Amino acid sequence: MAVLGGTCTLIGTTTNLLVDGVPQASGIEPLSIFEIIPVGVVAAATGGLALLMLGPFLLPDRGDIARLGADNETAFFTELRP
């Protein structure tokens, strides 16, 4: 969501700076820092909605961390192999 939120300002992502360079190279007035907010908000909202809908299907179910130490069992998140 931080990357999607960065699309709302000119300096939020490097791509926005590159897009601003195209009109400047053609002699057109440069964009202001908040001029792309309408497009950025739509992109952030669409991306956020996609994350909310697809996230449960794409991310693994790791279970509840509180259950890992139950019944004096030792649980490890990682393993070390020689």
Side-chain angles (χ1 to χ4, degrees):
M1 285 305 298
V3 172
L4 292 172
T7 62
C8 294
T9 64
L10 186 62
I11 60 172
T13 63
T14 55
T15 308
N16 293 351
L17 290 173
L18 291 173
V19 168
D20 182 46
V22 172
Q24 286 183 21
S26 300
I28 300 173
E29 184 178 326
L31 299 172
S32 68
I33 191 165
F34 296 113
E35 193 168 347
I36 59 173
I37 282 181
V39 176
V41 168
V42 170
T46 304
L49 185 62
L51 287 173
L52 284 173
M53 291 175 40
L54 297 175
F57 299 107
L58 298 176
L59 296 173
D61 183 20
R62 302 217 183 241
D64 188 10
I65 293 178
R67 292 182 297 161
L68 288 178
D71 301 328
N72 294 328
E73 293 180 11
T74 305
F76 297 97
F77 291 116
T78 60
E79 294 180 8
L80 180 63
R81 295 184 183 178

